[in-house]
Amino acid sequence: MLKMHSVTKSYNHRGKRVLALDDVTMEITPGDFVSIVGPSGSGKSTFLLMLGGMLRPAEGKVFVDGESLYDLNPEKRAALRKEKIGFVFQTFNLIPYLTALENVQIPLLLAGIDGDEQRAKAASLLERLGLGDRLDHKPSELSVGQQQRVALARMLANDPAVVLADEPTGNLDPDTGLAILTFFEEIHREGRTIVMVTHDHGAASRAARTLKLFEGKIVDG
Amino acid sequence: MKLRTLVWREIFERKNQLGTSFLAILLGISVIVSIKNITYYSEKAVARELDALGANILILPKSASLQDYYSADLQQEVFPEEYVGRLTNSDLQGLDNLSPKLSMPVEVNGKQFTLTGILPKNEFQAKVAWQGAGIFARPEGCGTVVAVPGQAAEPTKETLSRKRVIETIGEAEILLGTDMATSLNVAEGDSVSLLGTSFTITAVLPQTGTIDDSRAFAHLHTVQRLAGQDSLLNAIEVVGCCNAISGGLVQKINKLLPDAKVVTISQIVDTQIKTNRMMSRLSLLFLVIIVLVGGASIANYMFANVFERRREIGTLMALGAGSGVVLRLFLLKALVLGVAGGLAGYVIGTIIAVVLGPRIAGVPVLPMPVLLLWAFGIGIAILLAASYFPARRAARLDPVSALQEV
């Protein structure tokens, strides 16, 4: 269960206070597939990072499976993220000097899994995403769509219960974007909770539920 | 995959940016290693030269004056032979050969010479009370010439003229200085009569250019008997280890023998001390330079590296890396660079020392494996110290601003 209670967050931008989230309260039940839509600057990415334990709210609380995320110290919060949460970024954020296989191994390395098991699991995930013949390619040697698939394999490496995706199709052509959304539906059917920030209404419609953010408030959903 | 794989790959990915900073550390370590290597062999060579010069400490009666080092024992002042026992039974380190002497004037064929009594080394070893005192043991680090097993011992006359020590001499044997032998027109194997006692000439000493050329050397106890001065000496000549002299050996002998005067060939020892000090100061200067320049350069590179890798750090944090993992990632990189810099610095520094040492210091220089530990120590310490604050900054990065996604 993901839960926000009276969460507020603001930034100072060139001396002006910008309200990113304004007294947001909401719940996402386990196994839900939620899309977050709204115009640029409406607070979507802030919302997602806050759910992932990456951005402390100015006020209010965020809960993951009943645990108040920001009452944990940073190390425990990182451990919870490693165990339960998978991130997908719009720009993929692959480590440029590592191969596809090694990029997928990172979460497994952080989880303390030994080398052989890391390689076997990472290779199996990349094969599942159709990249079995690209294991030793660096990101710069892969297409944009292939890079996003490596990022998806990396996100799944620790078998997270919650997937937080920030514009996962934003940089992709329509066909590749469609394939990624189909993959999201597939992992949703496995029982994972998915929260996806998107500008694309077509992509948002693939989710079971849509939350609309406007000027830091949830105005629909 | 392990954390070190990440470190290794990143180093090679951005090796060009690393180059200049690494080069500063590498050159610094190379210079320190080469200076230390050359200094070590240079000190050894100087110490060997000092040893070749012979005795470098002279113990005289308190009232004796020191006009000429080689004639200092030709005065009438005496002190007890028992002083030798005090020295041999003391725990003083750095004493090599002891040579107790008693001199007296003699007239032969109307010409004036000096008869000097000298106690041979074999009689030191025969005295039970002096055994185990280690007086003839080679002082550690002294650099004095070590006898090679199986190699013929130095001839008696060579030892006496160079080291002013003699291995054996019989009660009726005598060694003559070259001027005295020429003046008396005698040679090895001849006999000569001094103060009514007949001596067999066992050797004519090589020319030294000192007053020793007009001396005759006989057994100490024979000379003491002829002079009527039993158990008395004019002087004790000592080969002191140069390092021990610079470490205060003269003062220690003075303390042990408060009624004697202890002097050294001070200018030679001073030169050695000055050379040692200059080399150690030079090493220290380079160490300071490498710490300041190399350290600042590495710190600058590491701060830039952290800035450049913000997104990567943010991604690792999003994937569950705690601040400890990020800190380890950067410190491990510093450790890898420190080990690499130490190893490469040792190799380059040793090559420089071996190739340039003979030209700069005029001595053959060999590699010193112990300096590898020095090189590792310096390299790792500087890299870790210079990288600590950048690494800490990386570990404290706000993952959101690092990702630049907001």
Side-chain angles (χ1 to χ4, degrees):
Chain A
M1 167 90 76
L2 300 173
K3 190 174 166 185
M4 277 189 179
H5 182 72
S6 301
V7 168
T8 298
K9 181 73 182 177
S10 61
Y11 303 102
N12 277 317
H13 182 68
R14 294 183 181 175
K16 285 186 179 176
R17 185 165 174 266
V18 177
L19 206 54
L21 290 178
D22 185 8
D23 196 24
V24 171
T25 296
M26 62 94 218
E27 279 185 17
I28 296 172
T29 54
D32 206 351
F33 185 174
V34 180
S35 63
I36 314 290
V37 295
S40 293
S42 60
K44 301 189 299 295
S45 293
T46 303
F47 178 88
L48 200 73
L49 290 167
M50 211 167 265
L51 274 183
M54 303 269 282
L55 185 62
R56 181 181 288 278
E59 289 173 34
K61 284 186 183 289
V62 179
F63 297 91
V64 173
D65 290 342
E67 199 150 23
S68 177
L69 210 48
Y70 295 96
D71 285 334
L72 299 173
N73 66 35
E75 292 301 314
K76 284 189 175 167
R77 212 157 50 237
L80 184 142
R81 211 158 42 229
K82 182 165 59 188
E83 191 186 335
K84 294 184 176 176
I85 298 170
F87 270 99
V88 181
F89 304 97
Q90 182 178 354
T91 49
F92 326 132
N93 288 8
L94 298 176
I95 310 289
Y97 50 84
L98 297 180
T99 63
L101 186 74
E102 288 166 339
N103 264 287
V104 180
Q105 282 179 260
I106 291 174
L108 302 167
L109 161 74
L110 295 174
I113 292 168
D114 75 66
D116 288 340
E117 197 179 337
Q118 281 178 28
R119 273 189 295 279
K121 190 163 184 185
S124 145
L125 284 165
L126 285 167
E127 273 165 26
R128 179 180 170 184
L129 281 142
L131 293 171
D133 57 346
R134 296 285 188 274
L135 301 185
D136 295 325
H137 286 59
K138 287 189 176 174
S140 58
E141 297 160 351
L142 297 170
S143 71
V144 174
Q146 286 170 331
Q147 288 181 39
Q148 186 59 304
R149 279 189 277 159
V150 174
L152 290 175
R154 183 180 65 183
M155 174 270 292
L156 283 181
N158 274 352
D159 196 18
V162 177
V163 174
L164 303 177
D166 192 0
E167 303 275 9
T169 58
N171 280 354
L172 305 176
D173 63 72
D175 287 346
T176 311
L178 204 59
I180 298 297
L181 288 171
T182 303
F183 183 73
F184 270 74
E185 286 170 341
E186 188 184 319
I187 60 171
H188 174 232
R189 282 195 294 276
E190 291 171 356
R192 297 177 214 277
T193 305
I194 298 174
V195 182
M196 178 177 69
V197 164
T198 182
H199 270 107
D200 180 356
H201 286 280
S205 66
R206 304 287 287 264
R209 185 154 73 103
T210 300
L211 294 178
K212 189 171 182 182
L213 273 170
F214 185 72
E215 293 184 350
K217 282 182 179 293
I218 295 177
V219 293
D220 193 9
Chain B
M1 187 170 69
K2 296 192 184 307
L3 211 54
R4 65 170 180 264
T5 316
L6 270 169
V7 171
W8 199 248
R9 292 287 171 82
E10 198 274 332
I11 287 173
F12 280 95
E13 176 76 9
R14 302 187 172 102
K15 53 184 179 295
N16 292 340
Q17 295 159 22
L18 178 62
T20 316
S21 307
F22 186 70
L23 198 64
I25 293 288
L26 183 65
L27 288 179
I29 294 174
S30 304
V31 170
I32 288 178
V33 166
S34 57
I35 287 180
K36 283 207 161 289
N37 203 338
I38 293 172
T39 303
Y40 175 80
Y41 281 97
S42 171
E43 282 177 1
K44 280 288 228 189
V46 174
R48 216 174 276 126
E49 279 169 26
L50 268 181
D51 176 55
L53 283 170
N56 49 25
I57 297 177
L58 197 56
I59 302 170
L60 299 167
K62 196 85 172 174
S63 54
S65 62
L66 185 67
Q67 298 294 328
D68 174 4
Y69 183 86
Y70 287 94
S71 63
D73 60 331
L74 301 183
Q75 299 169 50
Q76 299 306 310
E77 310 297 335
V78 290
F79 56 69
E81 192 178 340
E82 175 261 337
Y83 280 14
V84 179
R86 280 201 226 171
L87 286 170
T88 52
N89 290 322
S90 73
D91 58 355
L92 288 181
Q93 298 294 311
L95 283 179
D96 199 356
N97 295 310
L98 289 189
S99 182
K101 288 191 171 77
L102 179 72
S103 296
M104 62 182 295
V106 287
E107 191 180 311
V108 187
N109 300 341
K111 293 176 182 169
Q112 289 292 325
F113 299 102
T114 300
L115 175 62
T116 296
I118 184 166
L119 194 64
K121 257 173 96 169
N122 67 333
E123 293 202 19
F124 272 93
Q125 286 151 354
K127 291 202 179 201
V128 176
W130 295 354
Q131 279 181 2
I135 200 69
F136 294 116
R138 190 65 50 194
E140 211 169 305
C142 185
T144 49
V145 181
V146 180
V148 180
Q151 189 172 312
E154 225 171 348
T156 297
K157 57 185 180 184
E158 301 294 336
T159 314
L160 182 59
S161 64
R162 195 175 66 78
K163 288 189 171 182
R164 300 168 74 75
V165 168
I166 191 163
E167 294 290 330
T168 57
I169 186 167
E171 299 267 337
E173 290 176 342
I174 199 163
L175 294 88
L176 297 187
T178 184
D179 290 352
M180 188 173 176
T182 308
S183 177
L184 298 178
N185 195 25
V186 290
E188 285 179 18
D190 294 347
S191 288
V192 64
S193 180
L194 297 176
L195 301 170
T197 304
S198 178
F199 293 93
T200 304
I201 301 168
T202 55
V204 174
L205 301 173
Q207 186 98 32
T208 62
T210 67
I211 197 168
D212 285 359
D213 293 342
S214 298
R215 279 188 203 248
F217 291 92
H219 193 289
L220 176 67
H221 296 156
T222 304
V223 176
Q224 281 174 331
R225 182 169 45 79
L226 292 173
Q229 292 188 312
D230 274 354
S231 304
L232 291 174
L233 302 173
N234 292 128
I236 305 171
E237 290 184 342
V238 182
V239 175
C241 170
C242 51
N243 293 340
I245 294 172
S246 63
L249 180 62
V250 170
Q251 290 77 1
K252 287 172 190 166
I253 297 175
N254 254 324
K255 201 172 170 186
L256 188 71
L257 307 173
D259 296 326
K261 175 184 279 184
V262 186
V263 293
T264 66
I265 306 177
S266 58
Q267 60 270 41
I268 295 175
V269 178
D270 282 350
T271 305
Q272 169 66 9
I273 293 168
K274 278 176 190 164
T275 308
N276 291 354
R277 280 185 188 155
M278 191 192 75
M279 286 297 199
S280 70
R281 279 175 190 162
L282 205 58
S283 274
L284 196 66
L285 181 70
F286 272 101
L287 193 61
V288 170
I289 290 172
I290 182 186
V291 166
L292 291 179
V293 178
S297 176
I298 286 290
N300 188 41
Y301 160 76
M302 280 292 192
F303 272 121
N305 190 238
V306 168
F307 185 79
E308 189 181 6
R309 295 172 70 187
R310 288 182 335 278
R311 179 172 287 264
E312 182 189 323
I313 296 163
T315 303
L316 288 174
M317 286 175 161
L319 295 174
S323 56
V325 171
V326 177
L327 188 72
R328 279 213 309 277
L329 193 65
F330 281 88
L331 291 184
L332 195 59
K333 177 175 177 175
L335 188 68
V336 168
L337 294 177
V339 169
L343 183 63
Y346 170 75
V347 171
I348 294 172
T350 299
I351 291 171
I352 291 172
V354 170
V355 172
L356 295 184
R359 294 179 194 179
I360 295 171
V363 292
V365 175
L366 297 173
M368 292 173 65
V370 71
L371 290 179
L372 183 60
L373 296 178
W374 257 88
F376 277 146
I378 296 169
I380 292 169
I382 292 174
L383 262 298
L384 283 181
S387 303
Y388 177 71
F389 287 104
R392 201 175 68 164
R393 175 181 280 189
R396 290 177 176 181
L397 266 184
D398 176 2
V400 171
S401 60
L403 284 168
Q404 293 182 319
E405 295 268 333
V406 179

